[in-house]
Amino acid sequence: MSTSLAPYDAVLLLSFGGPEGPDDVLPFLRNVTAGRGIPDERLVEVGEHYQHFGGRSPINDQNRALLAALRAELAGRGLDVPVAWGNRNWAPYVTDALRELHDAGARRVLTLVTSAFASYSGCRQYREDIAAALIALEAEGRELVVDKVRPYFNEPGFVEANSAALVAAYERLGVAPGPQAPVVFVTHSIPTTMEVASGVRTTASYSGQHLDVAAVVAGAARERLGAPVPWELAYCSRSGSPLTPWTEPDVNRTLRALALDGVEHVVLAPIGFVSDHMEVIYDLDTEARETADELGMRMERAATAGIHPTFVAGLADLLLERAGTERGEAPARPAAGALGSWHDVCPADCCRLRAGVDSGVPAAAQQPTA
């Protein structure tokens, strides 16, 4: 693979953001829910998840660690390129990060989001934030071109990191995988309207992407553990009105169903997250563990990809792959599983909030509307 990022002269690591302390929690949640009319009383209730951990989200330190690891990986390949960090919902905001890159001389930026899967919240919403930032910067006389790396849920480095974490979890559990010791892969629940929309212009919807990569991860773990790894997919972090359908089943309901079948050991593998977000340390390490304890079930939680070396190397490969494509080359596009690699440039109607409904909100890094 080439060792040049041309035509890009900077990289942006773009993430969700999170509060750094108790006083940040409510303003942060207002940012997350802007335009939805959710009263502060409800946000204060949600904020208790953060206050449980001192009002500080773990995602910021996770991103700082990933930023440092990615910089080191690129430097180790002889790539001297600025790598900035920006967020959708909290400082450092994406507009500020892109402004700083522009003022440092960058004119074409390649973005890597900390969401591996393709859906509105995992792809298009980030591209909407980039578009809003570019509009604001253009009004200041700053012009940039910003592209985005393809969704990477089946990138081999991400798959390897999750497979290794699953094997390590079984080793800590001290029980071989089997019908009495299955794995439950977990990801963030989304509204079913978003789930349907995620599959309109792709080979698989959000849930289909998870099912495909979970099968690959379980298969790789089987090879290392020497025993079949029974698994199923569950969801966490459902929010919003109880009248709005979201993807199911909830992880706690799944644990209860397994207990009714006599299961006494379980591994939870947060395959839908690249690092230990609040949804991992609260929804799984706190709530799901309480459920498992209540059921008398031994639970072990697998690690997220985090800064696993193969994951970080895979991210660098993705950056180089996209750069090579933009130069008119034909770099390899490795992908595990049956779905193949995702598109580099999103179709205009890809990953909408609702299938067939154009919100009118500009989104960057997509094909022009016909």
Side-chain angles (χ1 to χ4, degrees):
M1 181 176 288
S2 171
T3 56
S4 172
L5 279 176
Y8 301 105
D9 43 29
V11 172
L12 174 67
L13 180 67
L14 180 55
S15 194
F16 190 81
E20 297 276 17
D23 293 340
D24 296 342
V25 173
L26 185 57
F28 163 73
L29 291 174
R30 287 174 180 152
N31 287 347
V32 173
T33 61
R36 301 183 198 174
I38 299 177
D40 279 358
E41 298 77 40
R42 173 57 181 150
L43 297 181
V44 169
E45 292 177 17
V46 175
E48 286 302 315
H49 294 185
Y50 291 93
Q51 302 298 357
H52 189 79
F53 297 94
R56 180 180 174 85
S57 170
I59 194 173
N60 298 311
D61 287 339
Q62 295 279 338
N63 283 328
R64 292 183 181 101
L66 182 57
L67 186 69
L70 186 58
R71 284 171 172 166
E73 178 69 24
L74 293 175
R77 301 187 188 201
L79 295 166
D80 182 17
V81 60
V83 185
W85 166 39
N87 291 320
R88 287 178 45 204
N89 298 298
W90 201 248
Y93 292 101
V94 57
T95 303
D96 297 330
L98 287 174
R99 182 185 295 111
E100 291 179 7
L101 286 175
H102 180 277
D103 291 352
R107 294 298 178 267
R108 190 164 185 184
V109 179
L110 184 54
T111 303
L112 177 70
V113 302
T114 58
S115 175
F117 294 82
S119 70
Y120 173 76
S121 58
C123 179
R124 189 182 187 93
Q125 196 169 14
Y126 282 106
R127 295 190 291 106
E128 291 178 351
D129 292 327
I130 293 170
L134 293 177
I135 291 170
L137 293 175
E138 185 177 1
E140 301 171 2
R142 296 175 168 89
E143 293 191 8
L144 281 167
V145 174
V146 180
D147 293 330
K148 174 184 167 295
V149 164
R150 63 181 169 90
Y152 52 85
F153 64 92
N154 56 5
E155 195 283 322
F158 182 66
V159 171
E160 165 59 25
N162 279 282
S163 299
L166 182 54
V167 170
Y170 271 109
E171 290 173 345
R172 292 193 301 273
L173 191 65
V175 176
Q180 295 306 308
V183 58
V184 178
F185 290 107
V186 187
T187 191
H188 203 300
S189 181
I190 62 173
T192 55
T193 52
M194 192 187 299
E195 157 70 13
V196 171
S198 69
V200 168
R201 291 296 298 270
T202 61
T203 54
S205 67
Y206 175 79
S207 63
Q209 297 161 37
H210 284 82
L211 292 169
D212 188 67
V213 75
V216 176
V217 170
R222 172 180 180 165
E223 293 298 317
R224 300 182 193 186
L225 294 169
V229 181
W231 63 272
E232 55 189 288
L233 178 66
Y235 300 86
C236 68
S237 306
R238 185 218 151 93
S239 61
S241 168
L243 301 178
T244 302
W246 284 55
T247 48
E248 296 180 336
D250 175 75
V251 60
N252 295 284
R253 196 173 81 191
T254 297
L255 291 176
R256 295 185 186 283
L258 290 173
L260 288 175
D261 288 338
V263 172
E264 298 180 352
H265 305 85
V266 67
V267 172
L268 296 188
I271 198 171
F273 305 92
V274 302
S275 63
D276 287 9
H277 302 176
M278 182 58 67
E279 292 85 351
V280 175
I281 67 168
Y282 185 82
D283 292 31
L284 301 188
D285 292 351
T286 305
E287 286 192 331
R289 184 166 294 281
E290 288 175 355
T291 298
D293 289 346
E294 173 193 332
L295 296 169
M297 183 183 293
R298 279 194 61 208
M299 185 195 98
E300 190 66 43
R301 200 264 286 176
T304 49
I307 55 172
H308 190 285
T310 62
F311 175 51
V312 177
L315 295 180
D317 288 344
L318 286 166
L319 294 170
L320 290 166
E321 172 196 303
R322 179 60 187 274
T325 300
E326 290 301 305
R327 292 194 301 269
E329 300 167 6
R333 299 170 62 85
L339 299 179
S341 61
W342 244 233
H343 39 243
D344 286 330
V345 182
C346 296
D349 59 350
C350 180
C351 284
R352 287 177 171 172
L353 186 59
R354 294 176 180 83
V357 179
D358 184 355
S359 67
V361 178
Q366 72 178 25
Q367 299 170 7
T369 303

